[in-house]
Amino acid sequence: MKTEQLIYLASPYTDDSAKIVNERYEATCKITALLLSQGLYVYSPIVHGHCLIGYGLETDWENWKHFDKLMIDKSDIIYVLMIDGWNESIGVNAEIRYAIDLGMDVKYLDVNGEIQ
């Protein structure tokens, strides 16, 4: 029986404002580090991909959806970080729908990493 779970951490990212994008990235890093420090196994596409954007990659869901869906397929559960913009995010909403369609549990985290 599998005792360790891989968590896919969904969070908003793209915005017209570079300041908001950076704030979202920083908030996601903070929660990813918190979860890792608790001994959890977490994959965050934002933490993984943010540093790659400067090399010509796009930031929108359309360009990342195939990669992100593959990572969701490999995960056991999805956590949604409820920072500003999460409920309007095209990517986050698509990730939630995809996970639900796969029969995965979806848990929601507040800005302090507490499950709601």
Side-chain angles (χ1 to χ4, degrees):
M1 178 178 202
K2 189 173 182 180
T3 59
E4 298 167 339
Q5 288 189 319
L6 178 60
I7 298 165
Y8 182 97
L9 181 61
S11 58
Y13 181 71
T14 304
D15 194 88
D16 292 335
S17 165
K19 180 178 185 269
I20 291 173
V21 168
N22 195 57
E23 288 172 355
R24 290 173 174 176
Y25 167 69
E26 292 294 330
T28 305
C29 285
K30 175 185 165 192
I31 296 303
T32 300
L34 174 68
L35 295 172
L36 289 168
S37 73
Q38 294 171 355
L40 300 173
Y41 298 94
V42 182
Y43 170 76
S44 164
I46 302 311
V47 174
H48 171 80
H50 178 79
C51 61
L52 302 174
I53 299 306
Y55 296 95
L57 296 176
E58 299 293 327
T59 62
D60 63 310
W61 168 249
E62 192 61 34
N63 285 290
W64 284 93
K65 70 181 177 182
H66 298 292
F67 184 85
D68 290 349
K69 285 181 176 181
L70 176 65
M71 296 308 289
I72 292 170
D73 289 341
K74 305 289 184 193
S75 299
D76 300 295
I77 189 168
I78 185 169
Y79 282 11
V80 178
L81 181 55
M82 299 185 307
I83 55 176
D84 286 341
W86 77 270
N87 50 346
E88 295 97 20
S89 169
I90 293 168
V92 170
N93 282 291
E95 290 165 328
I96 292 168
R97 281 191 308 276
Y98 186 70
I100 289 171
D101 288 347
L102 292 175
M104 293 175 71
D105 285 334
V106 178
K107 297 193 184 277
Y108 295 85
L109 302 178
D110 65 20
V111 295
N112 297 311
E114 299 293 326
I115 294 175
Q116 299 302 296

